[in-house]
Structures are given as structure tokens and as C-alpha cells.
Amino acid sequence: MAPLLSLAFAACSLLSTAFALPHDNVPVARSKAASSAVGVNVLYSFGNGTWAENLAVRANGQILVSRLDTPEVLQLDPKGIKEPITIASWNSSTYMGCLGISETTSDLFYVVTSGFVDDDFVLTSGVNSIWKIDMSTFSVSEHTGKVVSNATVSKLVDVTTSDFLNGLTTLSDDLILVADAYNGWVYRVNTSTGAYSVAVSEESMKFDSIPNPPTNIGVNGIKLLDGYLYWSNTAVGTLNRIRITAKGAPIGKAEVVTSNVPKADDFIFKSDGVAFIAQNQMDELSVLYPGQSEAAVIAGSNISTILAGVSAGKFGRLADDEHILYLTTSGAEGKPINGTVTVPATLSWIDTSAF
Ligand SMILES: *[C@@H]1O[C@H](CO)[C@@H](O)[C@H](O)[C@H]1NC(C)=O
Ligand SMILES: *[C@@H]1O[C@H](CO)[C@@H](O)[C@H](O)[C@H]1NC(C)=O
Ligand SMILES: *[C@@H]1O[C@H](CO)[C@@H](O)[C@H](O)[C@H]1NC(C)=O
Ligand SMILES: *[C@@H]1O[C@H](CO)[C@@H](O)[C@H](O)[C@H]1NC(C)=O
Ligand SMILES: *[C@@H]1O[C@H](CO)[C@@H](O)[C@H](O)[C@H]1NC(C)=O
Ligand SMILES: *[C@@H]1O[C@H](CO)[C@@H](O)[C@H](O)[C@H]1NC(C)=O
């Protein structure tokens, strides 16, 4: 068993840092001023050299964060009161790190563990796998904050045909979709059996669908909304969509939703369909309103550490934080700011009431 090495790192930075908690925030007047800047708040800091890659929010409000710098999933408290808890960790000689994470049925999560890729994102050793994390067996003592009973973690499947698995989303109780960012396709995986096959493979999922791509990452974040599969293409800087069936088969032609989101990483829809798009290697977060084709930057910039390497976002699930967008950041480990500057990865948040 791997020791719980990461408990120390965040607790000190967290508890010593004063910050405004989401529930203390005064909501600002709702407006459609897409370009208005929004304040970014740090909830947890993960320490030097870390990379927070993705997140999922439990029904009880606690946030599961996957790390890419080491294969771990942590639980963080949305109020910033409780110390982080390592929920699952894997041998770092076997897996490089964790990526996409999504819930299917209540408190059942699936997460990608990645093999080792080189700077071109070509798999050099190991295999990409999908693991099941059953949080229903997990419990913590309210008094001591100590784990009384662990989550139940088991392997679903090794996706042996994949190169670099990244975004993961839930299609139904027993089907998940997972993006292969290098190959430029999306797998459908049956969570009862682990059986997988390529469900969608569109030209606009490929990194090399443009000449001289700036990175070998194509399809990255994937989400479902109103019968459409949406995806970001990092190299091309687009958000795209195609209609799909309940079983994940594409219908008709893919469309470009917006093409002004350079280096788009993962993204999330608010309940009213407004998209928030993390642009990791631009250190920016953009918003896109339904029916529009121009996204607007609302936080961060490529010369600022405010949202250094923002990688993914998820909304709170409690009555008092459903307007709060929690964001993982990589500390710009993927592309240092101004060529040299990296900072500790974080779980940060913004209040989206104005958008
Ligand atoms: C993290 O990096 C900063 C800047 O390089 C350095 O000052 C600090 O001591 C480092 N902290 C730890 C815990 O290594
Ligand atoms: C991790 O994997 C390596 C290589 O297979 C092995 O030598 C090592 O014992 C493993 N570590 C643990 C803690 O299981
Ligand atoms: C939970 O798992 C960790 C890591 O494997 C282990 O050290 C710990 O003893 C477990 N806790 C309980 C309550 O089983
Ligand atoms: C998943 O596999 C099980 C077992 O073969 C099957 O009963 C079920 O219909 C499959 N689910 C889907 C959505 O294909
Ligand atoms: C990046 O460079 C610009 C221009 O020199 C400077 O204004 C900015 O503060 C730098 N950013 C960081 C994070 O060092
Ligand atoms: C920031 O992005 C702009 C394009 O929006 C680009 O022209 C500029 O070179 C970038 N600066 C840095 C420091 O990456």
C-alpha cells in the first residue's frame, strides 16, 4: 500500500492562508456582461511541482480532485475547513497520474489512470486504465477527521488500444465516455463489463486536423448537453459538438461551436447552458453563452498566475454553492508563464452569479 504521502502538503498551506469562503460571498447583480472580470479565490494549494487535473463533486458537496503529477485522487472540503484526504493512490512506477473523473450512479466514480507519455504525448510505457472508486463505503469521523472506512477502489479495465486518455464523462448509469487526446477519438465503456470501443472519431477531434498544431492534444474535455456530445480540441482551440444517441453513436455532422478558445482544456456547462472553458496553457477561463459563437475571457491571462494552468471546472452541489465554479489548476506546469514561472497547483473558485 502506498503511504498517504500527500496529507501534509496541502494542510499547511491551506490552514495558514486566509481567504473568503464561498458561502461568505455576497452575490453580485446578475448581468450578461461577458467580458467583466471575475475574482479568483484559492481554496487549496497543493505545493510546488504539483498539477491538479480534474475534479468531480459529490452529492454531499465534497470535491474529488485528480492529480496528474502523481496518481492520486483527493477529497477536498468546499468550505476549506477540513483537511484534504487521500481517497485513492496508485504506484507511481505504474501510472504517471490521474485525469478525467466522473460520477455514474450515486457516489460511484470512474477515473483515468495514465501510462507514461513523452513530450509529444506518445505513450512510451505502461497502459491507460479506468478505475472505479466507490465512495459509498467511505466514511470519516466527524470528531477526529480521520478515515473510519476507505473508499472501495477497483480496476474497471485497461484500455490497451489508447494512447493518452484525458476527459471522461457519464452517458448513462452503465456507460461512460472517455477521450483519447492523442488519437483524437472518444471511447464508450460499459461500466458493468469494462467492454470498450471507439464511439465517436471525428476529424475535429484530431490534433493534426490543422497544419503545424501547437500541441499533440486534440479532443480533451468532453461533456453531454441536450443530446449533444461537446468536446474541446486543445491544439485547434475549438469547442465542437455532434448529436449522439443514448448509446453514444453519433448522428449527423459535427459542428464547431466556438473557435476562439486557444488551448481549450476541459469545460463545464452551468444549468442554464452557459459554458465555462478552461484554457490551461493560456492561463485563462472563458465564458460562452448558448447560441453564441464568440467566447470571452472572464479571468486570468497568459502573463498572470491568477489562474495558472487552469485545467477543469465543476459547479458546487450544495444549496449555498451551486453558483460557485470550482477550478483545478496545474500551476502552469504544462507551459510555464513567460517561459519560466510556475506556481503550486490549486483548487480555486469563482462566483458565477454574474454570468
Ligand atoms: C516552493 O517554491 C518557492 C519558489 O521557488 C520556494 O520559495 C519555496 O521554498 C518552495 N516551497 C517548498 C515547500 O519547497
Ligand atoms: C511499484 O511498482 C514497482 C515496479 O513494478 C515495484 O518495484 C514497487 O515495489 C512498487 N511499489 C509499491 C509500493 O508497491
Ligand atoms: C485506508 O487505506 C489506507 C491506505 O491504504 C490505509 O493505510 C488505512 O489503514 C485504511 N483505513 C482503514 C480505516 O481501513
Ligand atoms: C453493458 O453490458 C451488460 C452485460 O453484457 C449488458 O447487459 C448491458 O446492456 C450493457 N449496457 C449497455 C448500455 O450497452
Ligand atoms: C510576464 O511578463 C510580463 C511582461 O514582462 C510581466 O508584466 C508579468 O508580470 C510577467 N508575469 C509573471 C507571472 O511573471
Ligand atoms: C499571450 O498570448 C498572446 C495571444 O493572445 C500572444 O501573442 C503572446 O505571445 C502570449 N504571451 C506569452 C508570454 O505567452
Side-chain angles (χ1 to χ4, degrees), residues 13 42 44-52 305 308 329-333 342-348:
S13 48
V42 174
Y44 286 91
S45 176
F46 292 83
N48 288 343
T50 55
W51 180 315
T305 57
T329 71
S330 69
E333 289 290 335
T342 60
V343 291
T346 69
L347 180 67
S348 293

PDB file of all heavy atoms in Angstrom, residues 13 42 44-52 305 308 329-333 342-348:
ATOM      1  N   SER A  13      -0.489  24.745   3.827  1.00  0.00           N
ATOM      2  CA  SER A  13      -0.752  25.922   3.009  1.00  0.00           C
ATOM      3  C   SER A  13      -2.204  26.348   3.133  1.00  0.00           C
ATOM      4  O   SER A  13      -2.526  27.521   3.130  1.00  0.00           O
ATOM      5  CB  SER A  13      -0.397  25.653   1.554  1.00  0.00           C
ATOM      6  OG  SER A  13      -0.934  24.437   1.142  1.00  0.00           O
ATOM      7  N   VAL A  42      -8.495  31.192  -3.982  1.00  0.00           N
ATOM      8  CA  VAL A  42      -7.807  29.917  -3.800  1.00  0.00           C
ATOM      9  C   VAL A  42      -8.396  29.202  -2.586  1.00  0.00           C
ATOM     10  O   VAL A  42      -8.479  29.771  -1.502  1.00  0.00           O
ATOM     11  CB  VAL A  42      -6.287  30.117  -3.614  1.00  0.00           C
ATOM     12  CG1 VAL A  42      -5.601  28.794  -3.288  1.00  0.00           C
ATOM     13  CG2 VAL A  42      -5.686  30.734  -4.863  1.00  0.00           C
ATOM     14  N   TYR A  44      -7.522  25.600  -1.949  1.00  0.00           N
ATOM     15  CA  TYR A  44      -6.408  24.768  -1.506  1.00  0.00           C
ATOM     16  C   TYR A  44      -5.226  24.986  -2.425  1.00  0.00           C
ATOM     17  O   TYR A  44      -5.392  25.185  -3.621  1.00  0.00           O
ATOM     18  CB  TYR A  44      -6.749  23.268  -1.578  1.00  0.00           C
ATOM     19  CG  TYR A  44      -7.687  22.778  -0.526  1.00  0.00           C
ATOM     20  CD1 TYR A  44      -9.053  22.771  -0.761  1.00  0.00           C
ATOM     21  CD2 TYR A  44      -7.213  22.305   0.693  1.00  0.00           C
ATOM     22  CE1 TYR A  44      -9.938  22.304   0.196  1.00  0.00           C
ATOM     23  CE2 TYR A  44      -8.081  21.838   1.652  1.00  0.00           C
ATOM     24  CZ  TYR A  44      -9.450  21.844   1.402  1.00  0.00           C
ATOM     25  OH  TYR A  44     -10.306  21.388   2.351  1.00  0.00           O
ATOM     26  N   SER A  45      -4.040  24.881  -1.850  1.00  0.00           N
ATOM     27  CA  SER A  45      -2.821  24.939  -2.632  1.00  0.00           C
ATOM     28  C   SER A  45      -2.092  23.614  -2.416  1.00  0.00           C
ATOM     29  O   SER A  45      -1.983  23.141  -1.289  1.00  0.00           O
ATOM     30  CB  SER A  45      -1.980  26.118  -2.137  1.00  0.00           C
ATOM     31  OG  SER A  45      -0.757  26.139  -2.811  1.00  0.00           O
ATOM     32  N   PHE A  46      -1.642  23.008  -3.512  1.00  0.00           N
ATOM     33  CA  PHE A  46      -1.104  21.645  -3.436  1.00  0.00           C
ATOM     34  C   PHE A  46       0.421  21.574  -3.301  1.00  0.00           C
ATOM     35  O   PHE A  46       0.962  20.490  -3.289  1.00  0.00           O
ATOM     36  CB  PHE A  46      -1.530  20.841  -4.668  1.00  0.00           C
ATOM     37  CG  PHE A  46      -2.999  20.545  -4.728  1.00  0.00           C
ATOM     38  CD1 PHE A  46      -3.886  21.477  -5.234  1.00  0.00           C
ATOM     39  CD2 PHE A  46      -3.493  19.339  -4.269  1.00  0.00           C
ATOM     40  CE1 PHE A  46      -5.249  21.211  -5.282  1.00  0.00           C
ATOM     41  CE2 PHE A  46      -4.849  19.064  -4.317  1.00  0.00           C
ATOM     42  CZ  PHE A  46      -5.732  20.010  -4.825  1.00  0.00           C
ATOM     43  N   GLY A  47       1.100  22.703  -3.275  1.00  0.00           N
ATOM     44  CA  GLY A  47       2.558  22.662  -3.111  1.00  0.00           C
ATOM     45  C   GLY A  47       3.292  22.723  -4.442  1.00  0.00           C
ATOM     46  O   GLY A  47       2.722  22.514  -5.517  1.00  0.00           O
ATOM     47  N   ASN A  48       4.574  22.987  -4.374  1.00  0.00           N
ATOM     48  CA  ASN A  48       5.397  23.144  -5.581  1.00  0.00           C
ATOM     49  C   ASN A  48       5.403  21.881  -6.443  1.00  0.00           C
ATOM     50  O   ASN A  48       5.428  20.766  -5.916  1.00  0.00           O
ATOM     51  CB  ASN A  48       6.847  23.442  -5.186  1.00  0.00           C
ATOM     52  CG  ASN A  48       7.006  24.851  -4.636  1.00  0.00           C
ATOM     53  OD1 ASN A  48       6.145  25.707  -4.824  1.00  0.00           O
ATOM     54  ND2 ASN A  48       8.123  25.088  -3.955  1.00  0.00           N
ATOM     55  N   GLY A  49       5.421  22.076  -7.731  1.00  0.00           N
ATOM     56  CA  GLY A  49       5.602  20.951  -8.646  1.00  0.00           C
ATOM     57  C   GLY A  49       4.378  20.056  -8.804  1.00  0.00           C
ATOM     58  O   GLY A  49       4.483  18.978  -9.377  1.00  0.00           O
ATOM     59  N   THR A  50       3.230  20.512  -8.328  1.00  0.00           N
ATOM     60  CA  THR A  50       2.017  19.687  -8.421  1.00  0.00           C
ATOM     61  C   THR A  50       1.192  20.085  -9.640  1.00  0.00           C
ATOM     62  O   THR A  50       1.410  21.143 -10.245  1.00  0.00           O
ATOM     63  CB  THR A  50       1.162  19.856  -7.156  1.00  0.00           C
ATOM     64  OG1 THR A  50       0.901  21.253  -6.961  1.00  0.00           O
ATOM     65  CG2 THR A  50       1.885  19.291  -5.938  1.00  0.00           C
ATOM     66  N   TRP A  51       0.204  19.241  -9.970  1.00  0.00           N
ATOM     67  CA  TRP A  51      -0.682  19.501 -11.109  1.00  0.00           C
ATOM     68  C   TRP A  51      -2.053  18.923 -10.750  1.00  0.00           C
ATOM     69  O   TRP A  51      -2.198  17.699 -10.671  1.00  0.00           O
ATOM     70  CB  TRP A  51      -0.104  18.821 -12.360  1.00  0.00           C
ATOM     71  CG  TRP A  51      -0.884  18.990 -13.628  1.00  0.00           C
ATOM     72  CD1 TRP A  51      -2.231  18.873 -13.797  1.00  0.00           C
ATOM     73  CD2 TRP A  51      -0.355  19.280 -14.933  1.00  0.00           C
ATOM     74  NE1 TRP A  51      -2.570  19.084 -15.105  1.00  0.00           N
ATOM     75  CE2 TRP A  51      -1.440  19.336 -15.821  1.00  0.00           C
ATOM     76  CE3 TRP A  51       0.940  19.493 -15.423  1.00  0.00           C
ATOM     77  CZ2 TRP A  51      -1.275  19.586 -17.191  1.00  0.00           C
ATOM     78  CZ3 TRP A  51       1.093  19.748 -16.776  1.00  0.00           C
ATOM     79  CH2 TRP A  51      -0.001  19.790 -17.652  1.00  0.00           C
ATOM     80  N   ALA A  52      -3.017  19.797 -10.477  1.00  0.00           N
ATOM     81  CA  ALA A  52      -4.398  19.339 -10.270  1.00  0.00           C
ATOM     82  C   ALA A  52      -5.059  19.312 -11.643  1.00  0.00           C
ATOM     83  O   ALA A  52      -5.058  20.315 -12.359  1.00  0.00           O
ATOM     84  CB  ALA A  52      -5.136  20.263  -9.312  1.00  0.00           C
ATOM     85  N   THR A 305      -0.405  34.762 -12.853  1.00  0.00           N
ATOM     86  CA  THR A 305      -0.500  33.467 -12.163  1.00  0.00           C
ATOM     87  C   THR A 305      -1.877  33.257 -11.526  1.00  0.00           C
ATOM     88  O   THR A 305      -2.092  32.264 -10.842  1.00  0.00           O
ATOM     89  CB  THR A 305       0.563  33.369 -11.054  1.00  0.00           C
ATOM     90  OG1 THR A 305       0.390  34.473 -10.153  1.00  0.00           O
ATOM     91  CG2 THR A 305       1.967  33.390 -11.619  1.00  0.00           C
ATOM     92  N   ALA A 308      -3.149  30.059 -13.082  1.00  0.00           N
ATOM     93  CA  ALA A 308      -2.013  29.418 -13.736  1.00  0.00           C
ATOM     94  C   ALA A 308      -2.325  27.972 -14.127  1.00  0.00           C
ATOM     95  O   ALA A 308      -2.485  27.108 -13.274  1.00  0.00           O
ATOM     96  CB  ALA A 308      -0.797  29.466 -12.805  1.00  0.00           C
ATOM     97  N   THR A 329      -6.208  23.801 -11.051  1.00  0.00           N
ATOM     98  CA  THR A 329      -5.133  24.436 -11.821  1.00  0.00           C
ATOM     99  C   THR A 329      -3.871  23.579 -11.724  1.00  0.00           C
ATOM    100  O   THR A 329      -3.670  22.861 -10.740  1.00  0.00           O
ATOM    101  CB  THR A 329      -4.809  25.864 -11.321  1.00  0.00           C
ATOM    102  OG1 THR A 329      -4.147  25.800 -10.052  1.00  0.00           O
ATOM    103  CG2 THR A 329      -6.050  26.731 -11.213  1.00  0.00           C
ATOM    104  N   SER A 330      -3.042  23.685 -12.749  1.00  0.00           N
ATOM    105  CA  SER A 330      -1.812  22.878 -12.814  1.00  0.00           C
ATOM    106  C   SER A 330      -0.591  23.693 -12.406  1.00  0.00           C
ATOM    107  O   SER A 330       0.535  23.204 -12.510  1.00  0.00           O
ATOM    108  CB  SER A 330      -1.612  22.379 -14.239  1.00  0.00           C
ATOM    109  OG  SER A 330      -1.292  23.478 -15.077  1.00  0.00           O
ATOM    110  N   GLY A 331      -0.806  24.945 -11.995  1.00  0.00           N
ATOM    111  CA  GLY A 331       0.329  25.795 -11.640  1.00  0.00           C
ATOM    112  C   GLY A 331       1.190  26.162 -12.839  1.00  0.00           C
ATOM    113  O   GLY A 331       2.337  26.562 -12.687  1.00  0.00           O
ATOM    114  N   ALA A 332       0.617  25.997 -14.042  1.00  0.00           N
ATOM    115  CA  ALA A 332       1.332  26.276 -15.305  1.00  0.00           C
ATOM    116  C   ALA A 332       2.498  25.323 -15.528  1.00  0.00           C
ATOM    117  O   ALA A 332       3.454  25.664 -16.221  1.00  0.00           O
ATOM    118  CB  ALA A 332       1.784  27.734 -15.395  1.00  0.00           C
ATOM    119  N   GLU A 333       2.411  24.128 -14.953  1.00  0.00           N
ATOM    120  CA  GLU A 333       3.457  23.120 -15.166  1.00  0.00           C
ATOM    121  C   GLU A 333       3.530  22.693 -16.640  1.00  0.00           C
ATOM    122  O   GLU A 333       4.591  22.290 -17.123  1.00  0.00           O
ATOM    123  CB  GLU A 333       3.209  21.891 -14.289  1.00  0.00           C
ATOM    124  CG  GLU A 333       3.442  22.114 -12.804  1.00  0.00           C
ATOM    125  CD  GLU A 333       4.907  22.312 -12.440  1.00  0.00           C
ATOM    126  OE1 GLU A 333       5.788  21.833 -13.181  1.00  0.00           O
ATOM    127  OE2 GLU A 333       5.165  22.957 -11.411  1.00  0.00           O
ATOM    128  N   THR A 342       6.287  28.959 -12.714  1.00  0.00           N
ATOM    129  CA  THR A 342       5.265  28.007 -12.280  1.00  0.00           C
ATOM    130  C   THR A 342       4.941  28.305 -10.827  1.00  0.00           C
ATOM    131  O   THR A 342       5.758  28.886 -10.114  1.00  0.00           O
ATOM    132  CB  THR A 342       5.735  26.547 -12.396  1.00  0.00           C
ATOM    133  OG1 THR A 342       6.891  26.372 -11.581  1.00  0.00           O
ATOM    134  CG2 THR A 342       6.055  26.165 -13.836  1.00  0.00           C
ATOM    135  N   VAL A 343       3.751  27.913 -10.417  1.00  0.00           N
ATOM    136  CA  VAL A 343       3.319  28.129  -9.024  1.00  0.00           C
ATOM    137  C   VAL A 343       2.655  26.829  -8.553  1.00  0.00           C
ATOM    138  O   VAL A 343       2.355  25.951  -9.372  1.00  0.00           O
ATOM    139  CB  VAL A 343       2.319  29.316  -8.928  1.00  0.00           C
ATOM    140  CG1 VAL A 343       3.017  30.631  -9.213  1.00  0.00           C
ATOM    141  CG2 VAL A 343       1.121  29.114  -9.843  1.00  0.00           C
ATOM    142  N   PRO A 344       2.412  26.673  -7.255  1.00  0.00           N
ATOM    143  CA  PRO A 344       1.731  25.457  -6.808  1.00  0.00           C
ATOM    144  C   PRO A 344       0.343  25.315  -7.454  1.00  0.00           C
ATOM    145  O   PRO A 344      -0.350  26.310  -7.671  1.00  0.00           O
ATOM    146  CB  PRO A 344       1.594  25.668  -5.294  1.00  0.00           C
ATOM    147  CG  PRO A 344       2.713  26.603  -4.948  1.00  0.00           C
ATOM    148  CD  PRO A 344       2.821  27.524  -6.126  1.00  0.00           C
ATOM    149  N   ALA A 345      -0.017  24.087  -7.768  1.00  0.00           N
ATOM    150  CA  ALA A 345      -1.364  23.824  -8.268  1.00  0.00           C
ATOM    151  C   ALA A 345      -2.378  24.155  -7.180  1.00  0.00           C
ATOM    152  O   ALA A 345      -2.050  24.141  -5.994  1.00  0.00           O
ATOM    153  CB  ALA A 345      -1.487  22.354  -8.666  1.00  0.00           C
ATOM    154  N   THR A 346      -3.607  24.459  -7.614  1.00  0.00           N
ATOM    155  CA  THR A 346      -4.649  24.818  -6.633  1.00  0.00           C
ATOM    156  C   THR A 346      -5.983  24.177  -6.974  1.00  0.00           C
ATOM    157  O   THR A 346      -6.213  23.716  -8.095  1.00  0.00           O
ATOM    158  CB  THR A 346      -4.911  26.347  -6.609  1.00  0.00           C
ATOM    159  OG1 THR A 346      -5.551  26.724  -7.845  1.00  0.00           O
ATOM    160  CG2 THR A 346      -3.645  27.149  -6.405  1.00  0.00           C
ATOM    161  N   LEU A 347      -6.855  24.206  -5.966  1.00  0.00           N
ATOM    162  CA  LEU A 347      -8.286  24.169  -6.221  1.00  0.00           C
ATOM    163  C   LEU A 347      -8.756  25.587  -5.934  1.00  0.00           C
ATOM    164  O   LEU A 347      -8.603  26.076  -4.805  1.00  0.00           O
ATOM    165  CB  LEU A 347      -9.002  23.157  -5.319  1.00  0.00           C
ATOM    166  CG  LEU A 347     -10.510  23.084  -5.570  1.00  0.00           C
ATOM    167  CD1 LEU A 347     -10.822  22.521  -6.956  1.00  0.00           C
ATOM    168  CD2 LEU A 347     -11.199  22.242  -4.510  1.00  0.00           C
ATOM    169  N   SER A 348      -9.248  26.262  -6.959  1.00  0.00           N
ATOM    170  CA  SER A 348      -9.699  27.646  -6.821  1.00  0.00           C
ATOM    171  C   SER A 348     -11.192  27.718  -7.091  1.00  0.00           C
ATOM    172  O   SER A 348     -11.806  26.706  -7.447  1.00  0.00           O
ATOM    173  CB  SER A 348      -8.931  28.544  -7.792  1.00  0.00           C
ATOM    174  OG  SER A 348      -7.564  28.617  -7.424  1.00  0.00           O
TER     175      SER A 348
END
